[in-house]
């Protein structure tokens, strides 16, 4: 790893800068973001590509946990007539680990159908089932339908009301939503992949461009009573994945499910895992993450920051990153000694009122927010850059990408993620 970092000389930097410049002109559909198109194989299968995962105590219902898992990167709302849908041949998964072993104790599986549309149009309303597996027992806990994609005022009038009608109850308590939403992730993608090129100062002074503005994703949102997943320490881990079936060689029956994408903490496969292992990482489960610990201990991102800005970010022995990202913050999100990439959250941390929340979460003196869960407004790019810069070791560098919030405001109630822009509006990544 160290060798690799040193080998990243000026020529490599220039090459990457050129790549970033190309990305900048072509928009998020070809660019990368939190976990949008981050690995070679999954970038060929966008409908099964996890983009971002969020987990937070619901601000309006603090006795519930909301988990939001987004898929399908860079949806241009105007991309008809076969608009974006969940894949009917994929299985979308949300996993909860209650005992810190990197294996699921409660699993939710989402499977969607696709209907034939009228005229030359696709029908984007998708019936789906939610299956909960716990103690080896599978129960269907919801039959529901997505709203249509936000096509325009003639096809999908009163879009907000249409979308809200698609919220469905979960058997046993809680609710569920699945369908197109605005991508809540915000980042100056061009800059990040220009090796943290920063448009202004060291990055925490604004001036960035949100490359996800105007683009949508497909959201799966679950809201469940905390009592169903709580533990003695109140710390749990969450991750999400997508599976496809293996081909059946006998031509009958169905092959086994194979995981093709996963996501726990933001930006892991993106900037921690080296390119040659990104496809492997997507196929493995959190309990298998010990093989990747070395990349957290000696993060290439720190080497790159130093190369570019000579900021003296610690490049080796980063047990602080191993702790925060793989086993949890001591006394807050610690789930045990098994290194596992999970989005950890302490379910007893009180909800921070919206006007007191910091976009920098725990790094900004707010007890909620990534890496204690992740809220829609958390500025994970700035948090990640500052953490890699050595924040937890006392080296507080004002790093960031200059984009401090998204182009839409989260809703105050479930499913919280804002309505997508309509295809007819055709915003194409314009700044709002
Ligand atoms: Ca991904
Ligand atoms: Ca477990
Ligand atoms: Ca957005
Ligand atoms: Ca930012």
């Amino acid at each position: 790893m160290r060798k690799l970092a040193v080998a990243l000389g000026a020529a490599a930097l220039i090459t990457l800068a050129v790549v970033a410049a190309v990305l900048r002109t072509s928009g998020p559909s070809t660019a990368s973001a939190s976990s949008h198109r981050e690995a070679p194989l999954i970038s060929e299968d966008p409908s099964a590509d996890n983009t971002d995962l969020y987990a937070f105590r619901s601000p309006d219902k603090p006795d519930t946990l909301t988990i939001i898992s987004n898929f399908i990167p860079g949806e241009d709302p105007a991309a008809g007539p076969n608009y974006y849908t969940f894949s009917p041949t994929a299985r979308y998964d949300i996993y909860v680990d209650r005992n810190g072993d990197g294996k699921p104790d409660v699993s939710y599986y989402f499977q969607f159908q696709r209907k034939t549309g009228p005229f030359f149009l696709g029908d984007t309303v998708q019936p789906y089932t939610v299956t909960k597996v716990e103690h080896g027992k599978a129960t269907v806990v919801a039959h529901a339908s997505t709203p249509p994609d936000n096509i325009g005022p003639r096809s999908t009038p009163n879009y907000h009301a249409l979308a809200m009608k698609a919220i469905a109850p979960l058997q046993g308590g809680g609710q569920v939503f699945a369908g197109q939403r605005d991508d809540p992730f915000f980042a100056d993608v061009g800059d990040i992949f220009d090796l943290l090129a920063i448009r202004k100062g060291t990055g925490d002074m604004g001036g960035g461009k949100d490359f996800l503005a105007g683009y949508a994703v497909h959201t799966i949102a679950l809201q469940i009573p905390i009592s169903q997943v709580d533990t003695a320490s109140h710390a749990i881990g969450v991750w999400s994945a997508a599976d496809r079936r293996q081909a059946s060689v006998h031509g009958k029956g169905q092959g086994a499910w194979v995981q093709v994408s996963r996501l726990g903490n933001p930006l892991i496969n993106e900037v921690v895992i080296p390119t040659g292992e990104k496809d492997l990482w997507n196929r493995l489960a959190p309990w298998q993450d010990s093989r990747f610990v070395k990349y957290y201990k000696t993060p290439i991102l720190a080497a790159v920051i130093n190369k570019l800005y000579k900021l003296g970010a610690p490049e080796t022995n980063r047990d602080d990153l191993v702790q925060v990202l793989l086993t949890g913050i001591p006394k807050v999100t610690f789930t045990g000694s098994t290194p596992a990439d999970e989005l950890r959250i302490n379910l007893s941390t009180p909800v921070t009122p919206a006007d007191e929340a910091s976009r920098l979460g725990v790094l900004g003196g707010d007890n909620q927010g990534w890496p204690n869960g992740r809220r829609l407004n958390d500025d994970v790019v700035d948090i990640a850059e500052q953490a890699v810069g050595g924040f937890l070791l006392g080296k507080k560098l004002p790093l960031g990408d200059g984009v401090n919030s998204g182009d839409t405001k989260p809703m105050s109630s479930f499913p919280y993620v804002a309505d997508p822009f309509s295809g007819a509006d055709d915003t194409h990544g314009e700044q709002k």
Side-chain angles (χ1 to χ4, degrees):
M1 195 61 195
R2 173 110 189 122
K3 248 192 208 153
L4 237 184
V6 172
L8 255 181
L13 294 185
I14 290 164
T15 311
L16 281 156
V18 171
V19 169
V22 172
L23 294 179
R24 196 170 291 151
T25 56
S26 50
S29 55
T30 52
S32 242
S34 171
S35 181
H36 306 50
R37 302 176 56 77
E38 85 293 344
L41 271 179
I42 198 63
S43 65
E44 296 175 17
D45 185 8
S47 63
D49 187 357
N50 289 88
T51 62
D52 280 279
L53 177 69
Y54 305 83
F56 50 88
R57 275 181 85 175
S58 317
D60 57 330
K61 285 185 185 172
D63 58 342
T64 68
L65 169 70
T66 297
I67 302 170
I68 291 169
S69 183
N70 291 337
F71 295 87
I72 315 181
E75 293 184 6
D76 183 338
N82 283 293
Y83 294 91
Y84 296 92
T85 57
F86 288 108
S87 169
T89 52
R91 190 187 72 187
Y92 299 88
D93 320 315
I94 289 176
Y95 296 114
V96 179
D97 178 11
R98 299 180 62 216
N99 60 0
D101 64 357
K103 297 175 182 173
D105 301 296
V106 186
S107 308
Y108 293 90
Y109 297 130
F110 295 75
Q111 287 176 265
F112 296 84
Q113 297 166 39
R114 188 191 285 139
K115 302 192 289 186
T116 306
F119 315 120
F120 49 83
L121 300 170
D123 186 338
T124 57
V125 174
Q126 296 187 274
Y128 66 95
T129 57
V130 186
T131 306
K132 179 180 177 180
V133 180
E134 194 173 13
H135 308 304
K137 187 170 162 260
T139 314
V140 174
V141 291
H143 289 282
S145 279
T146 70
D149 288 0
N150 191 355
I151 291 164
R154 301 217 278 181
S155 311
T156 53
N158 304 317
Y159 190 78
H160 181 70
L162 260 182
M164 295 307 102
K165 267 203 300 207
I167 297 171
L170 278 178
Q171 185 190 315
Q175 49 189 344
V176 63
F177 171 90
Q180 190 183 46
R181 306 306 285 161
D182 178 65
D183 189 347
F185 183 65
F186 50 93
D188 195 335
V189 172
D191 256 6
I192 295 165
F193 290 94
D194 190 8
L195 283 180
L196 307 185
I198 286 159
R199 296 183 201 276
K200 211 171 165 183
T202 48
D204 68 341
M205 298 152 76
K209 185 178 178 204
D210 176 12
F211 275 77
L212 285 305
Y215 288 87
V217 286
H218 264 60
T219 290
I220 288 174
L222 267 184
Q223 188 166 68
I224 52 176
I226 283 177
S227 58
Q228 291 185 2
V229 289
D230 208 3
T231 62
S233 68
H234 306 295
I236 62 165
V238 177
W239 75 99
S240 179
D243 291 45
R244 287 203 180 276
R245 284 199 188 274
Q246 233 161 18
S248 164
V249 283
H250 302 296
K252 58 180 179 184
Q254 290 176 303
W257 289 111
V258 178
Q259 181 177 297
V260 296
S261 170
R262 72 159 157 149
L263 189 56
N265 285 297
L267 301 161
I268 299 302
N269 208 17
E270 211 80 28
V271 296
V272 176
I273 308 300
T275 305
E277 297 189 33
K278 288 179 195 292
D279 291 334
L280 171 70
W281 188 89
N282 264 333
R283 285 199 299 274
L284 298 181
W287 65 270
Q288 296 167 299
D289 279 339
S290 60
R291 69 174 70 201
F292 300 116
V293 169
K294 57 188 176 216
Y295 302 123
Y296 293 73
K297 278 202 174 176
T298 313
I300 193 164
L301 186 57
V304 168
I305 289 172
N306 291 339
K307 194 116 211 151
L308 288 166
Y309 300 106
K310 313 223 172 345
L311 290 172
E315 295 182 28
T316 53
N317 301 320
R318 296 302 303 273
D319 291 322
D320 60 315
L321 296 179
V322 173
Q323 203 169 58
V324 167
L325 296 168
L326 289 171
T327 56
I329 310 165
K331 297 194 180 102
V332 182
T333 60
F334 181 73
T335 53
S337 58
T338 305
D341 177 51
E342 297 178 357
L343 181 57
R344 290 178 176 77
I345 180 170
N346 187 306
L347 299 168
S348 70
T349 306
V351 175
T352 308
D355 57 346
E356 292 168 27
S358 167
R359 71 182 171 89
L360 297 176
V362 175
L363 264 50
D366 180 351
N367 290 329
Q368 267 204 317
W370 192 56
N372 182 7
R374 179 182 174 190
R375 299 166 299 190
L376 295 170
N377 278 337
D378 290 342
D379 191 341
V380 296
V381 170
D382 290 28
I383 296 169
E385 289 185 6
Q386 293 189 21
V388 171
F391 189 96
L392 302 162
L393 302 173
K395 193 161 179 64
K396 303 191 176 177
L397 301 171
L399 292 164
D401 67 345
V403 180
N404 296 347
S405 60
D407 60 330
T408 56
K409 225 179 117 159
M411 304 187 321
S412 56
S413 61
F414 188 78
Y416 307 102
V417 192
D419 292 334
F421 291 99
S422 86
D425 282 345
D426 195 18
T427 60
H428 283 301
E430 278 168 32
Q431 297 292 290
K432 288 283 162 185

PDB file of all heavy atoms in Angstrom, residues 96-106 239 342, ligand 2:
ATOM      1  N   VAL A  96     -29.428  -6.172   9.386  1.00  0.00           N
ATOM      2  CA  VAL A  96     -29.143  -5.601  10.703  1.00  0.00           C
ATOM      3  C   VAL A  96     -28.346  -6.629  11.499  1.00  0.00           C
ATOM      4  O   VAL A  96     -28.751  -7.790  11.620  1.00  0.00           O
ATOM      5  CB  VAL A  96     -30.457  -5.251  11.447  1.00  0.00           C
ATOM      6  CG1 VAL A  96     -30.146  -4.682  12.832  1.00  0.00           C
ATOM      7  CG2 VAL A  96     -31.303  -4.266  10.637  1.00  0.00           C
ATOM      8  N   ASP A  97     -27.181  -6.177  12.012  1.00  0.00           N
ATOM      9  CA  ASP A  97     -26.325  -7.024  12.854  1.00  0.00           C
ATOM     10  C   ASP A  97     -26.473  -6.545  14.288  1.00  0.00           C
ATOM     11  O   ASP A  97     -26.126  -5.410  14.607  1.00  0.00           O
ATOM     12  CB  ASP A  97     -24.875  -6.889  12.373  1.00  0.00           C
ATOM     13  CG  ASP A  97     -23.892  -7.703  13.206  1.00  0.00           C
ATOM     14  OD1 ASP A  97     -24.330  -8.545  14.025  1.00  0.00           O
ATOM     15  OD2 ASP A  97     -22.672  -7.493  13.021  1.00  0.00           O
ATOM     16  N   ARG A  98     -26.988  -7.427  15.155  1.00  0.00           N
ATOM     17  CA  ARG A  98     -27.238  -7.017  16.536  1.00  0.00           C
ATOM     18  C   ARG A  98     -26.161  -7.489  17.511  1.00  0.00           C
ATOM     19  O   ARG A  98     -26.185  -7.105  18.672  1.00  0.00           O
ATOM     20  CB  ARG A  98     -28.611  -7.530  16.982  1.00  0.00           C
ATOM     21  CG  ARG A  98     -29.752  -6.973  16.132  1.00  0.00           C
ATOM     22  CD  ARG A  98     -31.097  -7.499  16.613  1.00  0.00           C
ATOM     23  NE  ARG A  98     -31.372  -7.081  17.975  1.00  0.00           N
ATOM     24  CZ  ARG A  98     -32.001  -7.835  18.884  1.00  0.00           C
ATOM     25  NH1 ARG A  98     -32.406  -9.048  18.576  1.00  0.00           N
ATOM     26  NH2 ARG A  98     -32.206  -7.370  20.089  1.00  0.00           N
ATOM     27  N   ASN A  99     -25.265  -8.372  17.058  1.00  0.00           N
ATOM     28  CA  ASN A  99     -24.278  -8.895  18.005  1.00  0.00           C
ATOM     29  C   ASN A  99     -22.828  -8.712  17.547  1.00  0.00           C
ATOM     30  O   ASN A  99     -21.916  -9.344  18.074  1.00  0.00           O
ATOM     31  CB  ASN A  99     -24.565 -10.366  18.323  1.00  0.00           C
ATOM     32  CG  ASN A  99     -24.506 -11.223  17.067  1.00  0.00           C
ATOM     33  OD1 ASN A  99     -24.252 -10.706  15.978  1.00  0.00           O
ATOM     34  ND2 ASN A  99     -24.740 -12.514  17.209  1.00  0.00           N
ATOM     35  N   GLY A 100     -22.621  -7.852  16.558  1.00  0.00           N
ATOM     36  CA  GLY A 100     -21.261  -7.464  16.188  1.00  0.00           C
ATOM     37  C   GLY A 100     -20.413  -8.539  15.522  1.00  0.00           C
ATOM     38  O   GLY A 100     -19.196  -8.410  15.473  1.00  0.00           O
ATOM     39  N   ASP A 101     -21.019  -9.594  14.987  1.00  0.00           N
ATOM     40  CA  ASP A 101     -20.214 -10.630  14.340  1.00  0.00           C
ATOM     41  C   ASP A 101     -20.123 -10.447  12.826  1.00  0.00           C
ATOM     42  O   ASP A 101     -19.559 -11.282  12.125  1.00  0.00           O
ATOM     43  CB  ASP A 101     -20.744 -12.033  14.676  1.00  0.00           C
ATOM     44  CG  ASP A 101     -22.157 -12.268  14.138  1.00  0.00           C
ATOM     45  OD1 ASP A 101     -22.743 -11.336  13.552  1.00  0.00           O
ATOM     46  OD2 ASP A 101     -22.666 -13.393  14.297  1.00  0.00           O
ATOM     47  N   GLY A 102     -20.679  -9.346  12.313  1.00  0.00           N
ATOM     48  CA  GLY A 102     -20.600  -9.088  10.873  1.00  0.00           C
ATOM     49  C   GLY A 102     -21.574  -9.927  10.063  1.00  0.00           C
ATOM     50  O   GLY A 102     -21.511  -9.943   8.832  1.00  0.00           O
ATOM     51  N   LYS A 103     -22.467 -10.640  10.745  1.00  0.00           N
ATOM     52  CA  LYS A 103     -23.486 -11.453  10.058  1.00  0.00           C
ATOM     53  C   LYS A 103     -24.869 -10.931  10.438  1.00  0.00           C
ATOM     54  O   LYS A 103     -25.074 -10.458  11.561  1.00  0.00           O
ATOM     55  CB  LYS A 103     -23.354 -12.920  10.480  1.00  0.00           C
ATOM     56  CG  LYS A 103     -22.025 -13.532  10.068  1.00  0.00           C
ATOM     57  CD  LYS A 103     -21.874 -14.949  10.600  1.00  0.00           C
ATOM     58  CE  LYS A 103     -20.501 -15.493  10.209  1.00  0.00           C
ATOM     59  NZ  LYS A 103     -20.197 -16.776  10.819  1.00  0.00           N
ATOM     60  N   PRO A 104     -25.827 -11.061   9.518  1.00  0.00           N
ATOM     61  CA  PRO A 104     -27.145 -10.491   9.809  1.00  0.00           C
ATOM     62  C   PRO A 104     -27.926 -11.284  10.855  1.00  0.00           C
ATOM     63  O   PRO A 104     -27.845 -12.509  10.904  1.00  0.00           O
ATOM     64  CB  PRO A 104     -27.860 -10.568   8.451  1.00  0.00           C
ATOM     65  CG  PRO A 104     -27.126 -11.601   7.660  1.00  0.00           C
ATOM     66  CD  PRO A 104     -25.714 -11.630   8.172  1.00  0.00           C
ATOM     67  N   ASP A 105     -28.650 -10.557  11.708  1.00  0.00           N
ATOM     68  CA  ASP A 105     -29.589 -11.182  12.640  1.00  0.00           C
ATOM     69  C   ASP A 105     -31.027 -10.913  12.207  1.00  0.00           C
ATOM     70  O   ASP A 105     -31.918 -11.694  12.503  1.00  0.00           O
ATOM     71  CB  ASP A 105     -29.348 -10.643  14.048  1.00  0.00           C
ATOM     72  CG  ASP A 105     -27.922 -10.920  14.482  1.00  0.00           C
ATOM     73  OD1 ASP A 105     -27.578 -12.104  14.596  1.00  0.00           O
ATOM     74  OD2 ASP A 105     -27.142  -9.962  14.636  1.00  0.00           O
ATOM     75  N   VAL A 106     -31.231  -9.792  11.527  1.00  0.00           N
ATOM     76  CA  VAL A 106     -32.534  -9.481  10.940  1.00  0.00           C
ATOM     77  C   VAL A 106     -32.261  -9.044   9.501  1.00  0.00           C
ATOM     78  O   VAL A 106     -31.425  -8.168   9.264  1.00  0.00           O
ATOM     79  CB  VAL A 106     -33.260  -8.345  11.690  1.00  0.00           C
ATOM     80  CG1 VAL A 106     -34.675  -8.164  11.145  1.00  0.00           C
ATOM     81  CG2 VAL A 106     -33.289  -8.597  13.194  1.00  0.00           C
ATOM     82  N   TRP A 239     -26.189  -2.820   7.060  1.00  0.00           N
ATOM     83  CA  TRP A 239     -25.653  -2.682   5.716  1.00  0.00           C
ATOM     84  C   TRP A 239     -26.698  -3.102   4.710  1.00  0.00           C
ATOM     85  O   TRP A 239     -27.761  -3.621   5.082  1.00  0.00           O
ATOM     86  CB  TRP A 239     -24.327  -3.422   5.534  1.00  0.00           C
ATOM     87  CG  TRP A 239     -24.386  -4.910   5.424  1.00  0.00           C
ATOM     88  CD1 TRP A 239     -24.344  -5.657   4.286  1.00  0.00           C
ATOM     89  CD2 TRP A 239     -24.460  -5.850   6.504  1.00  0.00           C
ATOM     90  NE1 TRP A 239     -24.397  -6.999   4.589  1.00  0.00           N
ATOM     91  CE2 TRP A 239     -24.467  -7.146   5.941  1.00  0.00           C
ATOM     92  CE3 TRP A 239     -24.538  -5.718   7.902  1.00  0.00           C
ATOM     93  CZ2 TRP A 239     -24.547  -8.299   6.713  1.00  0.00           C
ATOM     94  CZ3 TRP A 239     -24.616  -6.878   8.660  1.00  0.00           C
ATOM     95  CH2 TRP A 239     -24.620  -8.139   8.081  1.00  0.00           C
ATOM     96  N   GLU A 342     -19.882  -1.856   8.582  1.00  0.00           N
ATOM     97  CA  GLU A 342     -21.312  -1.683   8.825  1.00  0.00           C
ATOM     98  C   GLU A 342     -21.526  -0.225   9.215  1.00  0.00           C
ATOM     99  O   GLU A 342     -20.658   0.388   9.838  1.00  0.00           O
ATOM    100  CB  GLU A 342     -21.778  -2.578   9.981  1.00  0.00           C
ATOM    101  CG  GLU A 342     -21.623  -4.061   9.683  1.00  0.00           C
ATOM    102  CD  GLU A 342     -22.036  -4.954  10.861  1.00  0.00           C
ATOM    103  OE1 GLU A 342     -22.387  -4.406  11.939  1.00  0.00           O
ATOM    104  OE2 GLU A 342     -22.001  -6.176  10.696  1.00  0.00           O
TER     105      GLU A 342
HETATM  106 CA1  LIG B   2     -24.959 -10.825  13.813  1.00  0.00          CA
END
